[in-house]
Amino acid sequence: MTARMTDLTHRKTLPRLDESLLTYLTPFSKLEKREIRSILDQATSRRYDEGVSIFDEGAPAERFFMLLDGYVRVVRVTPTGEQVTALHIPAGQLLGIAKAIGRETYPATAVTATESIVLSWPTRLWDGFVADYDGFATETYKTVGDRMGEIHNRVMEMATQQVEQRVANALLRLINQTGRKVSDGIEIDFPITRQDLSELTATTLHTASRLLSAWEKQGLVQSKRKRIKVLDPHALVVISQPKSDL
Amino acid sequence: MTARMTDLTHRKTLPRLDESLLTYLTPFSKLEKREIRSILDQATSRRYDEGVSIFDEGAPAERFFMLLDGYVRVVRVTPTGEQVTALHIPAGQLLGIAKAIGRETYPATAVTATESIVLSWPTRLWDGFVADYDGFATETYKTVGDRMGEIHNRVMEMATQQVEQRVANALLRLINQTGRKVSDGIEIDFPITRQDLSELTATTLHTASRLLSAWEKQGLVQSKRKRIKVLDPHALVVISQPKSDL
DNA sequence: GTTTGAATTTGAGCCAGCGCAACGTTCTCT
DNA sequence: AGAGAACGTTGCGCTGGCTCAAATTCAAAC
């Protein structure tokens, strides 16, 4: 649970900050380059190892963050210590924006799924950004809405679908959001254990493991330790569909 | 699925619009009376019968709404027709605020749980309200955040708790949000069927019915058709807790 | 290269809760 | 008042997926 500091000008780790890619950062897509620069100039950059927390549920929301590179899991922990993953955040998005929804503390814990580069600003700058840059708030709230929709979808899934369908859906979502095309399929771009997958689908790692084994035998997926590659996405789509009566 | 129009000045149905109660309307708590009046003057008032939809998932978000009196269920329907209730909205809150989260269409369906009085405005007025009234946006986003939190909690519950615990939790939430104290307990303030309860807890109406029967035998609750009264909230709290090892 | 711990696989048994079905009760409408 | 619909109850059998347990594979650290 440690994280190392990198210095702010460590260009090598910030390849995406190329001019032409600034608008790739979700909250900035409506802003002018000059404005974006001004916001970025006030940021602190930091590198996190895989599997460390960026902020913790319940802690005072002293900063807000933007994921420049990597992937982050948003998780919550039950009183009994079980973890539940709410969603995955891809590079280019804000996180920890408690202020945007009127909270003083972070509503969940953010854990890096890969080594990640994260910008952050003190929360006190938030109101200024919203006031000064028109599109900033709009884009941010779109993000909030999208996440709400995703969580909402999770509720639907968990309420109506079987475990097999949920796991198939989770894999499809992961390859859509974070898939990397390789020779014979699409690979999930970060290390993911059976346990992670089970926390994403509200099942046990045993069941997740069994499903992956079965699918591997059928040639739908290939998986090594912490790596999953989907060979036949369409077959997964079929599985993910609620089975209609024949 | 019909709804009757009432005229705008039908004071009898708008008892809450008394001066002293204006700030009871969540989005207005930070505004001056004059400002609130100005917003309300632009609203259309309408009465809905119980069990009708105010707006439907996927429809263009032409208006946004405020629930003046009554209760509304936010539901989504699966391709196979199963309903899942995401949350309940009490009087005083906004709903259908697709614009606030950058959506062009309603992300879910809103169904009245009781006869309800609803104000509405054309969506095109939204940006003006946000720009003209400072606290309006803030309060609105707090509401969005709260709902996000609630849905998030639902995901946690469904992922980690047994049906019995979830139903107990749902009842507790309902009596907290909408409970009315009566002589010997707390009654849920609107008609609720076993089916409704099951859609709230991702189970079947059969299981919900069995649980209520069991609890009634133990004297924890009393229920008539469409009415549930909780006699012993504390016992429900105990049930809702994940059972620790003895 | 060996040790150690994390990740994964697989088996076997079991039970919460679902599906189905039948029946009872209470409303509503004419 | 009677018919029909909506709502609620309860029994029974079945099974998806959980729990418990044990063995195996892999990776990193020493």
Side-chain angles (χ1 to χ4, degrees):
Chain A
M1 285 291 173
T2 55
R4 280 176 286 156
M5 208 73 172
T6 26
D7 85 349
L8 189 49
T9 54
H10 192 210
R11 280 284 161 229
K12 198 170 73 237
T13 61
L14 300 177
R16 312 245 202 206
L17 282 188
D18 182 274
E19 281 289 331
S20 66
L21 287 172
L22 287 180
T23 53
Y24 143 90
L25 304 168
T26 310
F28 301 153
S29 64
K30 296 284 171 54
L31 302 187
E32 292 169 24
K33 296 238 154 63
R34 189 185 45 75
E35 297 175 314
I36 300 175
R37 280 288 172 208
S38 157
I39 292 178
L40 291 179
D41 282 348
Q42 300 175 68
T44 304
S45 170
R46 185 167 166 181
R47 192 196 138 280
Y48 292 84
D49 285 332
E50 178 191 323
V52 306
S53 96
I54 298 174
F55 52 82
D56 291 297
E57 179 176 354
E62 280 155 5
R63 305 184 74 80
F64 63 96
F65 305 82
M66 191 173 63
L67 186 60
L68 269 193
D69 197 18
Y71 289 103
V72 167
R73 269 201 303 273
V74 175
V75 305
R76 289 183 68 191
V77 182
T78 66
T80 56
E82 290 161 287
Q83 299 218 354
V84 179
T85 303
L87 35 82
H88 276 201
I89 295 182
Q93 290 199 0
L94 293 173
L95 64 156
I97 47 179
K99 182 81 186 196
I101 52 172
R103 296 291 179 88
E104 300 290 313
T105 60
Y106 299 113
T109 299
V111 177
T112 52
T114 58
E115 179 183 341
S116 297
I117 311 290
V118 178
L119 298 184
S120 72
W121 298 261
T123 298
R124 71 185 136 75
L125 296 182
W126 179 266
D127 286 332
F129 286 1
V130 169
D132 296 347
Y133 310 109
D134 236 31
F136 181 79
T138 314
E139 285 307 305
T140 299
Y141 287 121
K142 205 174 282 184
T143 300
V144 171
D146 289 346
R147 289 186 195 164
M148 185 123 169
E150 266 187 65
I151 298 188
H152 208 154
N153 286 339
R154 300 283 312 285
V155 172
M156 292 285 284
E157 274 184 30
M158 290 175 47
T160 61
Q161 303 194 318
Q162 308 264 97
V163 168
E164 186 176 23
Q165 296 167 12
R166 296 207 300 270
V167 176
N169 262 319
L171 281 187
L172 288 171
R173 242 183 291 124
L174 286 172
I175 63 171
N176 277 334
Q177 288 168 13
T178 79
R180 192 166 41 82
K181 284 214 177 66
V182 291
S183 62
D184 53 349
I186 308 173
E187 183 163 328
I188 294 171
D189 203 18
F190 56 82
I192 181 165
T193 65
R194 310 292 187 263
Q195 176 75 39
D196 294 335
L197 196 56
S198 73
E199 286 171 5
L200 214 74
T201 50
T203 181
T204 60
L205 87 145
H206 306 277
T207 299
S209 177
R210 279 182 240 269
L211 284 172
L212 282 181
S213 294
W215 290 341
E216 182 136 21
K217 278 198 190 91
Q218 296 167 44
L220 307 189
V221 305
Q222 245 176 48
S223 67
K224 313 191 240 305
R225 153 182 281 232
K226 287 197 177 195
R227 287 283 162 194
I228 302 176
K229 182 168 60 177
V230 175
L231 307 178
D232 187 348
H234 184 67
L236 281 186
V237 171
V238 172
I239 290 173
S240 76
Q241 233 58 38
K243 56 192 66 162
S244 60
D245 26 355
L246 68 148
Chain B
M1 284 293 171
T2 54
R4 278 177 286 156
M5 208 73 172
T6 25
D7 85 348
L8 190 48
T9 54
H10 192 211
R11 281 283 162 230
K12 197 171 73 234
T13 61
L14 300 177
R16 311 246 202 206
L17 283 188
D18 181 274
E19 280 290 330
S20 66
L21 287 172
L22 286 180
T23 53
Y24 144 90
L25 304 168
T26 309
F28 301 153
S29 63
K30 296 284 172 54
L31 303 187
E32 292 169 23
K33 295 240 155 62
R34 187 185 46 75
E35 297 175 312
I36 300 176
R37 279 289 172 208
S38 156
I39 292 177
L40 290 179
D41 282 349
Q42 300 175 68
T44 304
S45 170
R46 186 166 164 180
R47 192 196 139 281
Y48 292 84
D49 285 331
E50 178 191 323
V52 305
S53 97
I54 298 174
F55 53 81
D56 291 297
E57 177 177 354
E62 280 154 6
R63 304 185 74 80
F64 63 95
F65 306 82
M66 191 173 64
L67 187 59
L68 269 194
D69 198 18
Y71 289 103
V72 167
R73 269 202 302 275
V74 175
V75 304
R76 288 183 68 191
V77 182
T78 66
T80 56
E82 290 161 285
Q83 298 218 356
V84 179
T85 302
L87 37 81
H88 276 202
I89 295 181
Q93 291 199 1
L94 293 174
L95 64 156
I97 47 179
K99 183 80 185 196
I101 53 171
R103 295 290 178 88
E104 301 288 313
T105 60
Y106 299 114
T109 300
V111 178
T112 52
T114 58
E115 178 182 342
S116 298
I117 312 291
V118 177
L119 298 184
S120 72
W121 298 261
T123 299
R124 73 184 135 73
L125 296 183
W126 180 266
D127 286 331
F129 286 2
V130 170
D132 296 348
Y133 311 108
D134 236 32
F136 181 77
T138 314
E139 285 308 305
T140 299
Y141 287 121
K142 206 173 281 184
T143 301
V144 171
D146 290 346
R147 289 188 194 165
M148 187 122 167
E150 266 188 63
I151 298 188
H152 209 155
N153 286 339
R154 300 284 313 284
V155 171
M156 293 285 285
E157 273 185 30
M158 291 175 45
T160 61
Q161 302 193 321
Q162 309 265 94
V163 168
E164 186 176 23
Q165 297 166 13
R166 296 205 301 270
V167 175
N169 262 319
L171 280 188
L172 288 171
R173 243 182 291 124
L174 287 172
I175 63 172
N176 276 335
Q177 288 167 13
T178 79
R180 194 166 39 83
K181 284 212 177 68
V182 291
S183 62
D184 53 349
I186 307 172
E187 183 162 329
I188 293 171
D189 202 19
F190 57 81
I192 182 165
T193 64
R194 309 293 187 261
Q195 176 76 38
D196 293 335
L197 197 56
S198 73
E199 286 171 4
L200 221 89
T201 50
T203 182
T204 60
L205 86 144
H206 307 277
T207 300
S209 177
R210 278 181 244 269
L211 284 172
L212 282 182
S213 294
W215 290 340
E216 181 135 22
K217 278 198 190 92
Q218 296 168 44
L220 309 188
V221 305
Q222 245 176 48
S223 66
K224 314 192 241 300
R225 151 183 280 231
K226 287 196 177 195
R227 287 283 161 193
I228 301 176
K229 182 168 59 177
V230 175
L231 308 180
D232 186 349
H234 185 67
L236 280 186
V237 171
V238 172
I239 290 174
S240 76
Q241 233 58 38
K243 56 192 66 161
S244 60
D245 26 354
L246 69 149

